[in-house]
Amino acid sequence: MEQEIDTNLLGEQIVKKLKTIYDPEIPVDIYELGLIYDVMVNTDYEVKILMTLTSPNCPVAESLPREVEEKVKGIENVKAAEVEITFDPPWSKDLMSEEAKLELGML
């Protein structure tokens, strides 16, 4: 019998891992910055992350999604990870968490 996947627990582990990745220009992690739009996990332990960048010309446009993929693939039980970049809706400061705004002195 196959082991039942706890997608909520795996989702929490993914978010925890995403909080270790920082935008190089802003001292806030990409999750609190609001760059992660969605995290989807299927029963085959495959992860798809829908994310954006602070701008289409972001200097880490190539390296940041690759870092996200690699770090998520490193989580135990994750068999595959794919990052899709979108600019719809475009990122804005409104997407930042209260924690991020406080860290940047915006509150």
Side-chain angles (χ1 to χ4, degrees):
M1 187 171 163
E2 228 180 281
Q3 180 183 349
E4 181 83 14
I5 182 173
D6 185 344
T7 54
N8 288 332
L9 178 62
L10 187 54
E12 287 173 18
Q13 291 173 327
I14 292 167
V15 168
K16 190 175 180 183
K17 185 62 76 174
L18 293 172
K19 287 184 171 201
T20 69
I21 304 169
Y22 285 78
D23 183 294
E25 297 178 334
I26 306 169
V28 175
D29 70 75
I30 62 170
Y31 189 82
E32 297 298 336
L33 206 50
L35 298 181
I36 304 299
Y37 287 170
D38 201 0
V39 175
M40 296 153 275
V41 180
N42 70 19
T43 54
D44 291 327
Y45 297 90
E46 296 167 339
V47 179
K48 182 170 183 179
I49 296 170
L50 183 63
M51 69 176 286
T52 193
L53 302 169
T54 53
S55 80
N57 302 326
C58 182
V60 292
E62 289 190 25
S63 62
L64 190 60
R66 198 168 38 245
E67 181 181 358
V68 170
E69 255 180 36
E70 292 303 316
K71 286 204 173 180
V72 171
K73 281 181 190 172
I75 297 171
E76 188 177 356
N77 295 326
V78 171
K79 291 194 173 95
E82 176 189 349
V83 173
E84 181 181 331
I85 299 292
T86 184
F87 292 102
D88 184 28
W91 180 84
S92 75
K93 292 177 182 169
D94 297 337
L95 295 171
M96 293 169 58
S97 69
E98 296 293 312
E99 183 181 311
K101 289 177 183 174
L102 186 63
E103 178 75 27
L104 297 173
M106 299 170 76
L107 284 181

